[in-house]
Amino acid sequence: MYALVDCNNFYASCERIFQPHLNGEPIVILSNNDGCIISRSYEAKALGFAMGAPEFKVRQELRDKKVHVFSSNYALYGDLSNRVMKILEGFTPNLEVYSIDEAFLNFDGVPINNFHDYGLQMKQRVQKWVGIPVCVGFAPTKALSKVANKIAKKYQERTQGIYVIDTEEKRIKALKWTKIEDVWGIGYRLRKKMVAHAILTAYDFTKPQHEAWIRKEMGVLGMRLKYELEGKSVLDLEPIKEQKKSIATTRSFPKQLSDWDALRERVATFAAVCAEKLRKQNSCCHTIIVMLVIDRHKYETQKYYYNKAITLTYATNSTLTISNAAIAILKELHASNENIKFKKAGVIVTEFIDENKKQLQLFEEENPKHLALMKAMDALNAKIGDRKVKLASQDLQVTWNMNQRHLSQNYTTKFKEILEIKCL
């Protein structure tokens, strides 16, 4: 038996833990640089605010309807997410963290007499120990547990936030209720094709007459999804990925930039963060990619995305080497687009090898002093915090240089911002 545990309105719920007067109030969370709405409470959804709506377009409406607006506080959200996942690990050792607010659990070998009661225990413990409301969906497969979770969340008063698909009758009823666009893994384009092929619900997707079409259009992935919805478990929990295949650091700018010095500073900072993440997972990279993005609403051009890559002859995780390579790439991109203002930039590092398997080169190798320098730099930053030790090409005062006008405190990750309680 599988379960999907999903935190309700996770970002908004995180803000409410430390500001309980916001319970029942409409809340929206904004993306980086306060660009657009990325999360809404149930109350904000009821007021008609759409996901992805640009903040500047709905700013006055947010004020008129007295909606509480917050900038993304990922340090707080990430810490609370880790706490929730640690609690869930106490119910079964078989856990897959699917996203910041979702986790799949497998209960094979765990003796459970009543899954509904067990789900209530999970829900109540997370609520009591962290303060985050969750819903739990149980089913024989991962895809069906997604469907069960949607039902639990949709009808919380009737289900108590827990729904179990444990009979064939419940499975068929749930699939007939689920629209095809709400099925796990079905995107906008696939949905259009399926509607044209008379596949309107998850139950339609499992009908035998559609199998040939699914096999042709979706291949193995489509057939696996079909088997899962039929109650045949073919998707196991994903193993914990200890090492990433690529690392990307990208950010939108508070204002559009064309100035070389400003762009160089941002790219140098992004490269430094990528290098630091590489060292944390004991990896080195061979390839560095720099990208620049134009605001498509400002320019009448067919090309809005510029990128270029460079592959080094040796693997590295040195901030100096990666930053210099990124700046060299930026210089080439900027030279041919000097008059264009960019709204976003990013650095991506890829083609990893383990740090202890790095092969030395005969004719070209980076300065061996970099290794000791990076260790000292990481140690100082770990002790002082906030990446105080930087390259001279970086802004010494600012890390991201983002607009965060509505940022809440880091209640659980910074001692200076810890919650204060006055006892009378």
Side-chain angles (χ1 to χ4, degrees):
M1 202 71 164
Y2 287 87
L4 177 69
V5 180
D6 186 13
C7 302
N8 301 342
N9 299 319
F10 180 62
Y11 290 174
S13 296
C14 290
E15 301 292 351
R16 283 172 168 163
I17 290 175
F18 303 97
Q19 302 181 70
H21 65 278
L22 296 177
N23 288 326
E25 295 287 319
I27 297 174
V28 299
I29 312 297
L30 303 179
S31 62
N32 290 333
N33 287 313
D34 294 344
C36 60
I37 296 174
I38 59 169
S39 181
R40 306 157 294 163
S41 66
Y42 291 127
E43 296 81 6
K45 292 176 184 177
L47 292 175
F49 291 99
M51 182 71 82
E55 186 271 342
F56 73 93
K57 288 188 176 180
V58 296
R59 186 177 299 162
Q60 190 57 50
E61 188 179 359
L62 289 168
R63 291 171 181 168
D64 293 342
K65 294 183 178 180
K66 299 180 179 179
V67 178
H68 300 274
V69 180
F70 290 93
S71 302
S72 298
N73 190 341
Y74 294 120
L76 176 65
Y77 307 154
D79 182 63
L80 293 177
S81 173
N82 290 334
R83 296 178 187 221
V84 171
M85 301 308 166
K86 286 293 183 183
I87 293 172
L88 296 179
E89 285 177 355
F91 290 91
T92 174
N94 306 315
L95 181 140
E96 174 194 336
V97 179
Y98 183 66
S99 66
I100 194 171
D101 62 344
E102 289 179 289
F104 284 107
L105 291 80
N106 182 286
F107 296 97
D108 291 347
V110 181
I112 301 173
N113 295 323
N114 188 309
F115 280 100
H116 187 273
D117 291 346
Y118 202 65
L120 277 178
Q121 290 180 42
M122 296 163 65
K123 178 183 174 69
Q124 291 166 0
R125 188 174 298 178
V126 172
Q127 178 74 56
K128 183 177 181 179
W129 289 10
V130 183
I132 298 290
V134 302
C135 287
V136 187
F138 290 94
T141 71
K142 289 175 74 175
L144 282 174
S145 70
K146 271 271 192 181
V147 174
N149 186 275
K150 286 184 180 293
I151 295 172
K153 187 171 286 189
K154 179 73 174 179
Y155 304 104
Q156 291 191 50
E157 292 185 2
R158 287 162 52 183
T159 64
Q160 296 179 287
I162 314 295
Y163 191 74
V164 184
I165 298 177
D166 54 359
T167 66
E168 186 67 5
E169 182 183 357
K170 283 186 176 180
R171 183 187 72 84
I172 293 174
K173 186 177 180 180
L175 294 185
K176 289 181 177 180
W177 173 83
T178 305
K179 296 178 181 178
I180 191 61
E181 59 264 31
D182 293 331
V183 174
W184 186 29
I186 303 298
Y188 175 73
R189 292 182 180 179
L190 268 177
R191 179 251 175 198
K192 288 182 68 176
K193 290 182 179 180
M194 289 183 179
V195 169
H197 203 73
I199 302 176
L200 305 179
T201 65
Y203 183 71
D204 294 335
F205 187 82
T206 61
K207 289 181 178 178
Q209 61 264 36
H210 298 307
E211 183 172 323
W213 184 87
I214 293 170
R215 194 183 298 273
K216 178 182 176 182
E217 293 292 329
M218 300 179 65
V220 175
L221 295 179
M223 292 305 300
R224 286 178 180 171
L225 178 58
K226 182 176 183 295
Y227 293 147
E228 284 269 317
L229 294 176
E230 290 173 344
K232 306 168 188 174
S233 181
V234 295
L235 298 176
D236 295 326
L237 296 182
E238 293 288 334
I240 297 173
K241 298 178 181 178
E242 296 183 356
Q243 190 183 84
K244 297 179 180 178
K245 294 182 179 179
S246 65
I247 293 174
T249 303
T250 64
R251 291 292 185 275
S252 297
F253 303 134
K255 61 180 180 180
Q256 296 184 66
L257 299 177
S258 61
D259 178 69
W260 161 251
D261 289 331
L263 286 170
R264 182 188 61 181
E265 191 280 328
R266 289 292 83 198
V267 168
T269 296
F270 300 158
V273 175
C274 286
E276 182 183 319
K277 291 179 179 179
L278 271 174
R279 295 193 294 274
K280 282 185 177 179
Q281 68 172 38
N282 299 316
S283 298
C284 294
C285 75
H286 272 289
T287 301
I288 298 105
I289 305 167
V290 174
M291 70 169 196
L292 296 172
V293 181
I294 295 173
D295 187 345
R296 62 177 63 239
H297 302 292
K298 299 286 185 180
Y299 292 91
E300 294 287 338
T301 176
Q302 293 183 344
K303 190 172 183 179
Y304 300 99
Y305 182 92
Y306 297 83
N307 68 87
K308 189 174 178 62
I310 185 172
T311 299
L312 303 175
T313 56
Y314 51 85
T316 182
N317 57 17
S318 166
T319 297
L320 293 168
T321 303
I322 294 174
S323 179
N324 287 338
I327 291 173
I329 298 170
L330 176 66
K331 186 177 289 186
E332 292 186 35
L333 292 174
H334 186 263
S336 56
N337 303 282
E338 290 186 18
N339 299 321
I340 296 178
K341 292 184 177 181
F342 298 98
K343 73 167 185 176
K344 184 177 182 180
V347 175
I348 305 168
V349 292
T350 186
E351 291 192 43
F352 294 168
I353 64 168
D354 291 339
E355 190 176 38
N356 57 3
K357 295 180 182 178
K358 180 180 176 182
Q359 186 174 357
L360 298 177
Q361 302 296 314
L362 182 60
F363 298 107
E364 188 176 0
E365 184 61 76
E366 71 180 354
N367 191 328
K369 293 181 180 179
H370 285 201
L371 180 61
L373 178 61
M374 293 302 108
K375 285 184 178 179
M377 188 173 173
D378 291 340
L380 285 169
N381 282 329
K383 183 177 181 180
I384 302 170
D386 294 330
R387 298 191 176 102
K388 294 294 185 182
V389 182
K390 302 181 182 181
L391 302 180
S393 56
Q394 294 178 249
D395 188 326
L396 299 180
Q397 303 300 322
V398 180
T399 302
W400 295 125
N401 198 24
M402 288 197 299
N403 283 330
Q404 292 181 306
R405 299 186 302 273
H406 312 285
L407 187 65
S408 57
Q409 294 177 213
N410 290 315
Y411 300 101
T412 63
T413 56
K414 286 186 179 180
F415 276 109
K416 291 182 179 180
E417 299 182 13
I418 198 169
L419 189 67
E420 296 181 2
I421 299 175
K422 294 183 180 179
C423 298
L424 301 177

